[in-house]
């Protein structure tokens, strides 16, 4: 079986990267992680990649005068690797429209809320402030709009009495570690596809759903 070539973009600790690495070692996995790129030199995810013998590099966004210069340099680095799929795993950069259109349909991201609710930052605190009873995480295609791409999969968790943002973040992270490998596997195997701005799973409109 020819496995899909995955390039992972990170900015931090890389816990989702680690779950993808672990899943890639399973015999039925449809993908292999061929490269990791971080925009922050201190990101622990670079060490995770090194420990897994995966080529990894840092492209520090602070070294560039503007967003477009960084985007162009990152695109050049990605094109050298020739991945089939680009996976954001805690990649904390909003990329320009030209970059996104270059790889649209080949980039996915995980977000810590049940989109379309609470796009952007501070999702757990905002969920608690809004008084919702269900929270979770979403894997979606990357588009020019922030957290607006078609949903590939979601996992839900209940909000419990007395929850703090940290409590909720920890519970959601457990589900992220279940959901992301499943969604990457679905895309890499061809089960999940982007068709006319919608996700199709197994030949029908829709995505994966996991219960927490």
């Amino acid at each position: 079986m020819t496995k899909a070539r995955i390039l992972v973009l990170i900015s931090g600790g890389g816990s989702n990267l680690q779950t993808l690495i672990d899943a890639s070692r399973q015999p039925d996995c449809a993908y292999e992680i061929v490269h990791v790129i971080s925009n922050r030199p201190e990101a622990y995810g670079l060490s995770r990649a090194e420990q897994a013998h995966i080529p990894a590099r840092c492209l520090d966004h602070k070294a560039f005068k503007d967003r477009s210069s960084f985007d162009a340099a990152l695109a050049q680095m990605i094109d050298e690797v020739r991945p089939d799929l680009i996976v954001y795993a805690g990649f904390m950069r909003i990329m320009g429209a030209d970059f996104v259109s270059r790889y649209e349909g080949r980039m996915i991201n995980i977000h810590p809320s049940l989109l379309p609710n609470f796009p952007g930052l501070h999702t757990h605190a905002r969920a608690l402030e809004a008084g919702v009873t269900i929270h979770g995480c979403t894997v979606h295609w990357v588009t020019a709009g922030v957290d607006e791409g078609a949903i590939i999969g979601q996992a839900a968790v209940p909000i419990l009495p007395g929850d703090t943002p940290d409590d909720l973040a920890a519970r959601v992270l457990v589900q992220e570690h279940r959901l992301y490998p499943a969604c990457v596997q679905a895309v890499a195997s061809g089960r999940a596809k982007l068709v006319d701005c919608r996700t199709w799973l197994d030949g029908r409109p829709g995505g994966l759903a996991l219960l927490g």
Side-chain angles (χ1 to χ4, degrees):
M1 177 181 67
T2 300
K3 296 192 174 187
R5 294 167 51 84
I6 305 295
L7 183 147
V8 183
L9 298 177
I10 64 169
S11 295
S15 69
N16 272 310
L17 168 63
Q18 188 63 59
T19 65
L20 295 174
I21 291 172
D22 294 344
S24 73
R25 293 171 174 154
Q26 300 302 312
D28 60 346
C29 186
Y31 67 86
E32 60 176 335
I33 300 173
V34 297
H35 213 90
V36 173
I37 300 174
S38 172
N39 68 306
R40 292 179 178 169
E42 72 277 10
Y44 182 64
L46 291 170
S47 296
R48 293 182 188 273
E50 180 181 357
Q51 292 163 15
H53 307 292
I54 298 170
R57 288 183 281 179
C58 175
L59 187 68
D60 190 346
H61 66 277
K62 294 180 181 178
F64 294 85
K65 63 180 181 180
D66 53 35
R67 177 188 292 179
S68 62
S69 298
F70 172 79
D71 288 5
L74 181 58
Q76 181 178 350
M77 196 174 282
I78 289 171
D79 289 347
E80 291 172 0
V81 177
R82 295 177 287 107
D84 298 308
L85 184 65
I86 300 164
V87 174
Y88 288 26
F91 184 55
M92 304 301 291
R93 292 286 298 176
I94 297 175
M95 306 304 290
D98 288 344
F99 180 92
V100 172
S101 64
R102 184 186 189 108
Y103 302 110
E104 194 159 359
R106 295 170 52 202
M107 290 194 299
I108 66 175
N109 180 45
I110 189 163
H111 180 75
S113 80
L114 293 175
L115 293 172
N117 294 332
F118 313 117
L121 301 176
H122 311 300
T123 59
H124 310 305
R126 289 160 60 200
L128 292 173
E129 289 169 3
V132 298
T133 58
I134 300 293
H135 192 46
C137 52
T138 302
V139 176
H140 64 92
W141 302 97
V142 176
T143 61
V146 176
D147 301 324
E148 292 180 358
I151 292 169
I152 301 169
Q154 293 185 312
V157 300
I159 293 180
L160 305 177
D163 266 347
T164 67
D166 287 345
D167 295 333
L168 197 50
R171 198 176 310 121
V172 169
L173 187 61
V174 171
Q175 299 310 312
E176 289 184 35
H177 292 170
R178 296 176 61 217
L179 181 67
Y180 216 6
C183 288
V184 173
Q185 173 76 0
V187 174
S189 66
R191 290 183 59 215
K193 299 179 180 180
L194 183 63
V195 180
D196 296 330
C197 300
R198 297 184 66 184
T199 299
W200 283 58
L201 180 68
D202 297 330
R204 297 181 179 180
L208 295 171
L210 300 181
L211 296 178

